């Protein structure tokens, strides 16, 4: 008789289960917003839109939707997954109540957005204080990355239009605070734009930067300790001039387009002026060199701007462009940082690629599409996405250590949030008991212990 291998055990399925909580790992997010004081701040901010006899608080409704999005939802109706677990999430509003609140906030327009922004900024400062050395400003500098996102639309939604990639949808501009190599990042601005909005529109970059700066603690809203990084979409005279304006004094590292004048200047750089590029660990980056340009290519740009160019052997299969030279790919960026070696500045600018990781996380957290029709409604949806991403960034920053701090939203959901638990009531207190055999139960327990040790707000 042959022994069967590789088969799955057969189980019988039926209803009637009790005292079992699905998505029990989401208590990590609930404890995070509780310790951060986010529920109180949002409730206070949205108090003007609460009707006198309303059963559900508008702040709680908005946070419930944000929690659903953080757990993988992509529409308002996904709040039903929270409604099914009242022991963990409390009373959750019905779908019609949720929709009415979104319509109400959309009708309020800038007033509602400003109220949400103010609440998030207030809580963000507290979270960074709680995080201590794990906060993004622990080194005395805050780095804000700005990048555009293409969001496809499959129906005639307001402001949806053809994009530069020959798709159809919207082209929001987003900003993220970089947590560095040991962490992830958190959103600080999201500007909804039509699909045909330009990639290098200076006015949109300025507006996004203003929204981002307003989310930072007051210490970092001006001055050299705040660095603004963008790709070549931000390399315009208007935007760079705005960043360097007297009284604002922001640091910047902005990608620039390789023009013919820049290409000709690169060809005139002597071989002795090129310096090898470096990797994050300090090792030499094979086949890459950097140099600083001066002269006529800086005319018309703000005083103190430096233009740094990198030449590198293209990756196998990459197509050379007309602006490349001698078979090497050329890229350049502008910065006003002084006192550092150009290879260190080039490495700092190259780390802007971490913004692509943040965008990937945003796509997996409600930004895959904009589910509502009106632009005003989708602006509220962008705020919900940012609240969800805030929680997904703050929880690891406050509660996780080691490699777990680098987990992106999908991995957090798979390993932590999706864990089920048994609900036990003892001495009038509710307890969640996670399965010992779940591989990441110890991670959940350790994270909850760290959150519990934090002081309560107020």
């Amino acid at each position: 008789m042959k022994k069967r291998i590789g088969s799955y055990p057969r189980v019988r399925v039926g209803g009637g289960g009790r005292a079992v909580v699905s998505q029990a790992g989401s208590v990590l997010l609930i404890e995070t917003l509780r310790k951060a004081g986010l529920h109180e701040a949002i409730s206070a901010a949205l108090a003007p839109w609460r009707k006198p006899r309303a059963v559900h608080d508008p702040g709680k409704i908005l946070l419930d939707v944000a929690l659903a999005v953080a757990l993988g939802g992509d529409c308002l109706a996904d709040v039903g997954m929270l409604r099914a677990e009242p022991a963990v999430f409390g009373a959750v509003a019905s779908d019609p109540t949720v929709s009415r609140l979104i319509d109400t906030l959309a009708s309020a327009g800038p007033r509602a957005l400003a109220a949400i922004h103010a609440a998030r900024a207030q809580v963000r400062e507290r979270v960074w204080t709680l995080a201590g050395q794990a906060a993004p400003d622990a080194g005395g500098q805050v780095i804000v990355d700005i990048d555009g996102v293409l969001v496809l639309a499959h129906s005639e939604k307001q402001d949806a239009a053809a994009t530069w990639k020959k798709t159809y949808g919207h082209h929001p501009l987003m900003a993220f605070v970089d947590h560095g190599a040991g962490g992830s990042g958190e959103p600080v601005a999201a500007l909804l734009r039509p699909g045909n909005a330009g990639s290098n529109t200076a006015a949109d970059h300025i507006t996004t930067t203003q929204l981002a700066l307003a989310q930072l603690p007051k210490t970092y809203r001006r001055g050299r300790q705040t660095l603004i990084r963008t790709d070549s979409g931000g390399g315009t005279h208007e935007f760079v001039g705005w960043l360097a304006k007297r009284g604002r004094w922001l640091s910047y590292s902005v990608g620039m387009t390789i023009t013919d004048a820049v290409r000709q200047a690169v060809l005139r750089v002597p071989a002795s002026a090129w310096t090898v590029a470096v990797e994050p660990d300090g090792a030499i980056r094979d086949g890459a060199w950097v140099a600083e340009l001066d002269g006529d290519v800086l005319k018309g740009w703000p005083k103190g701007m430096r233009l740094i160019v990198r030449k590198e052997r293209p990756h196998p299969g990459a197509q050379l462009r007309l602006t490349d030279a001698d078979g090497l790919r050329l890229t350049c960026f502008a910065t006003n940082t002084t006192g550092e070696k150009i290879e260190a500045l080039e490495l700092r600018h190259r780390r802007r690629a971490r913004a692509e990781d943040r965008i990937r996380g945003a796509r997996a957290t409600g930004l895959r599409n904009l589910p509502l029709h009106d632009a005003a409604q989708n602006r509220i949806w962008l705020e919900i996405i940012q609240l969800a991403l805030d929680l997904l960034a703050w929880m690891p920053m406050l509660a996780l250590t080691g490699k777990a701090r680098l987990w992106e939203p999908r991995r957090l959901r798979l390993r932590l949030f999706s864990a089920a638990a048994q609900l036990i009531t003892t001495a009038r207190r509710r307890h969640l008991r996670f399965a010992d055999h779940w591989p990441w139960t110890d991670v959940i327990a350790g994270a909850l212990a760290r959150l519990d040790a934090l002081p309560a707000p107020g």
Side-chain angles (χ1 to χ4, degrees):
M1 179 178 179
K2 294 183 178 180
K3 184 178 180 180
R4 297 176 62 187
I5 59 174
S7 60
Y8 294 94
R10 186 175 181 181
V11 296
R12 303 294 180 180
V13 179
R18 295 181 179 179
V20 177
V21 177
S22 61
Q23 299 287 337
S26 57
V27 294
L28 289 167
L29 297 178
I30 296 174
E31 288 302 310
T32 298
L33 68 86
R34 181 178 288 119
K35 290 295 185 177
L38 183 61
H39 59 305
E40 298 172 353
I42 293 293
S43 293
L46 298 186
W49 291 277
R50 180 170 186 171
K51 296 181 179 179
R53 295 186 178 182
V55 175
H56 296 281
D57 176 61
K60 172 69 160 55
I61 296 174
L62 199 71
L63 283 179
D64 283 343
V65 180
L67 283 170
V69 172
L71 294 175
D74 60 2
C75 65
L76 298 179
D78 285 335
V79 77
M81 65 189 296
L82 276 62
R83 196 180 301 118
E85 302 291 355
V88 175
F89 299 103
V92 177
S94 64
D95 290 349
T97 302
V98 174
S99 296
R100 283 195 295 269
L101 175 65
I102 299 302
D103 290 340
T104 299
L105 296 179
S107 300
R111 283 183 57 233
L113 295 176
I116 297 172
H117 293 167
R120 289 178 59 219
Q122 172 190 339
V123 175
R124 192 180 316 279
E125 186 168 5
R126 169 175 168 78
V127 171
W128 288 12
T129 302
L130 290 175
Q133 291 302 309
D137 65 337
Q141 185 182 52
V142 174
I143 300 176
V144 178
D145 292 314
I146 299 176
D147 206 349
V149 189
L150 291 181
V151 181
L152 301 184
H154 301 285
S155 60
E156 294 287 343
K157 297 176 181 177
Q158 187 177 10
D159 286 346
T163 71
W164 60 275
K165 279 196 173 182
K166 299 182 179 179
T167 56
Y168 183 80
H170 298 82
H171 189 190
L173 201 58
M174 300 193 70
F176 299 89
V177 169
D178 184 23
H179 286 189
S184 56
E186 57 191 279
V188 284
L191 182 66
L192 183 62
R193 305 189 301 166
N196 56 4
S199 297
N200 56 352
T201 305
D204 291 344
H205 278 79
I206 291 173
T207 300
T208 304
T209 306
Q210 289 173 328
L211 292 173
L213 293 174
Q215 283 295 303
L216 304 180
K218 291 183 179 180
T219 307
Y220 300 104
R221 293 179 185 177
R222 65 177 63 197
R224 295 291 193 214
Q225 70 272 29
T226 301
L227 173 69
I228 306 296
R229 287 192 305 205
T230 74
D231 58 7
S232 59
T236 61
H237 287 79
E238 295 85 352
F239 182 56
V240 175
W242 184 87
L243 293 173
K245 188 176 180 180
R246 184 180 180 87
R248 194 169 287 118
W249 304 119
L250 296 168
S251 297
Y252 60 83
S253 183
V254 177
M256 304 292 285
T257 302
I258 299 289
T259 62
D260 185 64
V262 172
R263 183 176 182 274
Q264 295 301 322
V266 170
L267 294 176
R268 292 192 295 268
V269 175
S272 59
W274 291 97
T275 303
V276 293
V278 296
E279 298 287 6
D281 60 359
I284 293 176
R285 184 176 177 87
D286 186 41
W289 303 266
V290 293
E292 184 171 357
L293 303 181
D294 54 15
D296 293 342
V297 291
L298 296 179
K299 287 184 178 179
W301 292 96
K303 184 179 179 180
M305 190 187 92
R306 305 172 65 187
L307 192 62
I308 299 173
V309 64
R310 181 185 75 189
K311 62 179 182 180
E312 185 173 19
R313 297 193 189 101
H315 300 294
Q319 297 293 323
L320 290 174
R321 299 169 296 193
L322 293 176
T323 53
D324 294 333
D326 298 331
L328 299 174
R329 172 63 49 85
L330 298 181
T331 57
C332 72
F333 68 96
T335 183
N336 60 349
T337 302
T338 58
E340 291 191 33
K341 296 180 179 180
I342 58 174
E343 58 268 30
L345 295 175
E346 192 276 331
L347 174 61
R348 185 186 69 176
H349 184 76
R350 202 186 328 140
R351 284 173 169 161
R352 193 202 65 81
R354 282 201 285 256
E356 300 297 333
D357 298 334
R358 309 289 82 80
I359 290 174
R360 183 172 60 248
R363 290 185 186 278
T365 311
L367 198 61
R368 184 178 60 85
N369 67 346
L370 300 178
L372 306 173
H373 179 272
D374 294 345
Q377 294 173 325
N378 282 322
R379 288 189 183 94
I380 302 299
W381 180 256
L382 279 181
E383 296 304 317
I384 292 172
I385 291 174
Q386 291 181 85
L387 284 169
L389 290 172
D390 280 339
L391 290 173
L392 291 172
W394 293 343
M395 188 278 290
M397 185 167 64
L398 295 175
L400 298 182
T401 60
K403 292 183 179 180
R405 266 207 70 189
L406 298 173
W407 289 352
E408 294 189 359
R410 285 175 176 164
R411 183 158 294 180
L412 289 171
R413 293 174 194 135
L414 178 66
R415 296 185 174 183
L416 302 186
F417 304 152
S418 65
Q422 186 180 14
L423 183 64
I424 303 295
T425 302
T426 303
R428 298 183 181 180
R429 291 187 177 183
R430 292 173 177 174
H431 302 267
L432 284 176
R433 293 184 177 176
F434 291 89
D436 291 335
H437 63 267
W438 186 251
W440 301 282
T441 293
D442 58 336
V443 178
I444 298 173
L448 288 172
R450 294 183 192 96
L451 291 172
D452 186 59
L454 296 175

